[in-house]
Amino acid sequence: MPTATDLLTLDAAAQDLLFREARTANAFTDEPVTDEQLHAIYDLVKWGPSAMNSQPLRIIAVRSREARERLVEHMNGNNKAKTLTAPLTLVVTADADFHEHLPVTFPHAEGARESMAGNPGRPRMAHFNASIQLGYLILGIRAAGLAAGPMAGYDAEGVKREFLTGAEEVVAVVNVGRPGPDAWFQRLPRLEYDQVVRTV
Ligand SMILES: Cc1cc2nc3c(=O)[nH]c(=O)nc-3n(C[C@H](O)[C@H](O)[C@H](O)COP(=O)(O)O)c2cc1C
């Protein structure tokens, strides 16, 4: 009888790296995360799908002490200390002006840019698809052997004022690095298959 692990094509070690043994990190060592690592992560996760190939994900890589302090100012309580000490922090945003790229990213659909320009659902579409891309990004960070600490606890207007331009909205802030001492909170239960899947 094959186990659930055997039924998947991805080898068991990779399943563990991406999911079963991967944890959300809350403390980091000071080992740097290089631009080359971030580049490699993006070059992997850019292949994840988005609606109309819209790719609204944008990333601000926060490295300098000065930028980090400006960001921490807008993080909520427990999120401040870990954001101050992470080797790399990513402000993940959604660009509602993604339609400007459609002539290149969705070239077969003539007039797509113009029709999306007048579509009032564009910001919501950007946020939804950038959120999906955030999931790919977290898995890409894990694929690089690093740990991610995604956070939604911040003053979005404050982060926006500080770092964003144009039609970008904040989706999440993600600390990245090697897990440090006491990096993990308690592993919390997941819902079981029968609680989540209904077959009709
Ligand atoms: C989008 C998102 C937002 C989150 N926001 C916060 C946050 O603001 N602060 C925090 O400490 N953890 C935050 N978390 C971490 C979750 O609580 C954590 O990923 C979840 O409990 C699973 O933990 P595990 O990976 O260790 O099993 C967030 C996670 C995600 C994916």
Side-chain angles (χ1 to χ4, degrees), residues 3 6 11 13 19 23 28 30 47 71 75 79 88-90 117 125 133 141 149 156 159 174 182 184-185 194:
T3 65
D6 297 334
D11 69 66
F19 292 100
R23 299 293 314 276
F28 300 89
D30 53 13
W47 296 110
L71 176 60
M75 302 304 294
N79 291 336
L88 175 65
T89 301
L90 307 177
M125 182 175 165
Q133 290 187 283
I141 290 166
V159 176
V174 184
D182 300 322
W184 320 131
F185 295 157
D194 289 339

Coordinates of all heavy atoms in Angstrom, one line a residue, residues 3 6 11 13 19 23 28 30 47 71 75 79 88-90 117 125 133 141 149 156 159 174 182 184-185 194:
T3 N 2.3 4.9 0.6 CA 1.9 6.0 1.6 C 1.6 7.3 0.8 O 1.9 7.4 -0.4 CB 3.1 6.3 2.5 OG1 4.2 6.8 1.7 CG2 3.6 5.0 3.2
D6 N 4.6 8.6 -0.9 CA 5.0 7.8 -2.1 C 4.1 8.3 -3.3 O 4.5 8.1 -4.5 CB 4.8 6.3 -1.9 CG 5.7 5.8 -0.9 OD1 6.7 6.4 -0.6 OD2 5.3 4.8 -0.3
D11 N 10.4 14.2 -4.5 CA 11.0 13.2 -3.5 C 10.7 13.6 -2.1 O 10.4 14.8 -1.8 CB 12.4 13.0 -3.8 CG 13.3 14.2 -3.5 OD1 13.4 14.5 -2.3 OD2 13.8 14.8 -4.4
A13 N 12.4 14.0 0.6 CA 13.3 15.1 1.2 C 12.8 16.5 0.8 O 12.7 17.4 1.6 CB 14.7 14.9 0.8
F19 N 7.5 21.6 3.0 CA 6.3 21.6 3.8 C 6.4 21.0 5.2 O 6.3 21.7 6.2 CB 5.2 20.9 3.0 CG 4.7 21.6 1.8 CD1 5.2 21.2 0.5 CD2 3.9 22.7 1.9 CE1 4.8 21.9 -0.6 CE2 3.4 23.4 0.7 CZ 3.9 23.0 -0.5
R23 N 9.3 25.5 8.8 CA 8.6 26.3 9.8 C 8.6 27.8 9.5 O 9.5 28.2 8.8 CB 9.2 26.0 11.2 CG 9.2 24.5 11.6 CD 7.8 24.0 11.9 NE 7.0 24.9 12.7 CZ 7.0 25.0 14.0 NH1 7.7 24.2 14.7 NH2 6.2 25.9 14.6
F28 N 16.4 34.9 13.8 CA 17.3 34.6 12.7 C 18.8 34.7 13.2 O 19.1 35.5 14.1 CB 17.1 35.5 11.5 CG 15.7 35.4 11.0 CD1 14.7 36.2 11.5 CD2 15.4 34.5 10.0 CE1 13.4 36.1 11.0 CE2 14.1 34.4 9.5 CZ 13.1 35.2 10.0
D30 N 22.7 35.8 12.2 CA 23.1 37.0 11.4 C 23.8 36.7 10.1 O 24.4 37.5 9.4 CB 24.0 38.0 12.2 CG 25.2 37.3 12.9 OD1 25.4 36.2 12.5 OD2 25.8 37.9 13.8
W47 N 8.0 31.5 -12.2 CA 7.3 30.6 -13.1 C 5.9 30.1 -12.5 O 5.1 29.5 -13.2 CB 8.1 29.3 -13.4 CG 9.4 29.7 -14.1 CD1 10.7 29.8 -13.7 CD2 9.4 30.3 -15.5 NE1 11.5 30.2 -14.6 CE2 10.8 30.5 -15.8 CE3 8.5 30.5 -16.5 CZ2 11.2 31.1 -17.0 CZ3 8.9 31.0 -17.7 CH2 10.2 31.3 -17.9
L71 N 11.0 50.8 8.5 CA 10.0 49.7 8.4 C 9.5 49.3 9.8 O 8.2 49.2 10.0 CB 10.5 48.5 7.7 CG 9.6 47.3 7.5 CD1 8.3 47.7 6.8 CD2 10.4 46.2 6.8
M75 N 5.7 48.2 12.1 CA 5.3 46.8 12.5 C 4.6 46.8 13.8 O 5.0 47.6 14.7 CB 6.6 45.9 12.5 CG 7.4 45.9 11.2 SD 6.5 45.4 9.7 CE 6.1 43.7 10.1
N79 N 6.2 41.8 16.1 CA 6.8 41.8 14.8 C 8.0 42.7 14.7 O 8.8 42.6 13.8 CB 5.8 42.1 13.7 CG 4.8 41.0 13.5 OD1 5.0 39.8 13.9 ND2 3.6 41.3 13.0
L88 N 17.5 39.8 6.1 CA 16.8 40.4 4.9 C 15.3 40.4 5.2 O 14.8 39.5 5.7 CB 17.1 39.5 3.7 CG 16.4 39.9 2.4 CD1 16.8 41.3 1.9 CD2 16.6 38.9 1.3
T89 N 14.7 41.5 4.8 CA 13.2 41.6 5.0 C 12.7 42.1 3.6 O 13.2 43.0 3.0 CB 12.9 42.6 6.1 OG1 13.4 42.2 7.3 CG2 11.4 42.7 6.3
L90 N 11.6 41.4 3.2 CA 11.0 41.7 1.9 C 9.6 42.4 2.2 O 8.8 41.8 2.9 CB 10.8 40.5 1.1 CG 12.1 39.6 0.9 CD1 11.7 38.3 0.1 CD2 13.1 40.4 0.2
A117 N -7.2 48.7 -18.2 CA -7.0 50.0 -17.7 C -8.3 50.6 -17.2 O -8.3 51.3 -16.2 CB -6.5 50.9 -18.8
M125 N -7.8 42.4 -8.3 CA -7.1 41.3 -9.0 C -5.6 41.3 -8.7 O -5.0 40.3 -8.6 CB -7.4 41.6 -10.5 CG -6.8 40.5 -11.4 SD -7.2 40.8 -13.1 CE -6.1 39.7 -14.0
Q133 N 1.2 34.8 -5.5 CA 2.6 34.8 -5.8 C 3.4 34.8 -4.5 O 4.6 34.3 -4.4 CB 3.0 36.0 -6.7 CG 2.5 35.8 -8.1 CD 3.0 37.0 -9.0 OE1 2.6 38.1 -8.9 NE2 4.1 36.7 -9.8
I141 N 11.7 30.5 -1.0 CA 12.7 30.8 0.1 C 13.0 29.5 0.8 O 14.2 29.2 1.1 CB 12.0 31.8 1.1 CG1 11.9 33.2 0.5 CG2 12.8 31.9 2.4 CD1 11.0 34.2 1.2
G149 N 9.6 34.3 7.4 CA 8.7 34.7 8.5 C 7.7 35.7 7.9 O 8.0 36.9 8.1
A156 N -0.4 49.2 7.4 CA -0.2 49.2 5.9 C -0.1 50.6 5.3 O 0.7 50.8 4.4 CB -1.4 48.4 5.2
V159 N 3.5 51.7 6.1 CA 4.5 51.1 5.2 C 4.4 51.7 3.8 O 5.4 52.0 3.1 CB 4.3 49.6 5.2 CG1 5.3 48.9 4.2 CG2 4.5 49.0 6.6
V174 N 8.0 40.0 4.8 CA 8.5 38.6 5.0 C 10.0 38.7 5.5 O 10.8 39.3 4.7 CB 8.4 37.8 3.7 CG1 8.9 36.4 4.0 CG2 7.0 37.8 3.2
D182 N 15.5 29.6 19.4 CA 14.1 29.9 19.7 C 13.4 30.5 18.5 O 12.5 31.4 18.6 CB 14.0 30.9 20.9 CG 14.6 30.3 22.1 OD1 14.5 29.1 22.3 OD2 15.3 31.1 22.9
W184 N 11.2 29.0 16.6 CA 9.9 28.5 16.3 C 8.9 28.7 17.4 O 9.2 28.6 18.6 CB 9.9 26.9 16.1 CG 11.1 26.4 15.3 CD1 11.9 25.4 15.7 CD2 11.6 26.8 14.0 NE1 12.8 25.1 14.7 CE2 12.7 26.0 13.7 CE3 11.2 27.8 13.2 CZ2 13.4 26.2 12.5 CZ3 11.9 28.0 12.0 CH2 13.0 27.2 11.7
F185 N 7.7 29.1 17.1 CA 6.6 29.0 18.0 C 6.1 27.5 18.0 O 6.6 26.7 17.1 CB 5.4 29.9 17.6 CG 5.8 31.4 17.7 CD1 5.1 32.3 17.0 CD2 6.8 31.8 18.5 CE1 5.4 33.7 17.0 CE2 7.2 33.2 18.6 CZ 6.4 34.1 17.8
D194 N -10.8 15.8 5.5 CA -12.2 15.7 5.5 C -12.9 17.0 6.0 O -14.0 17.3 5.7 CB -12.7 14.5 6.3 CG -12.4 13.2 5.6 OD1 -12.2 13.2 4.4 OD2 -12.3 12.2 6.4

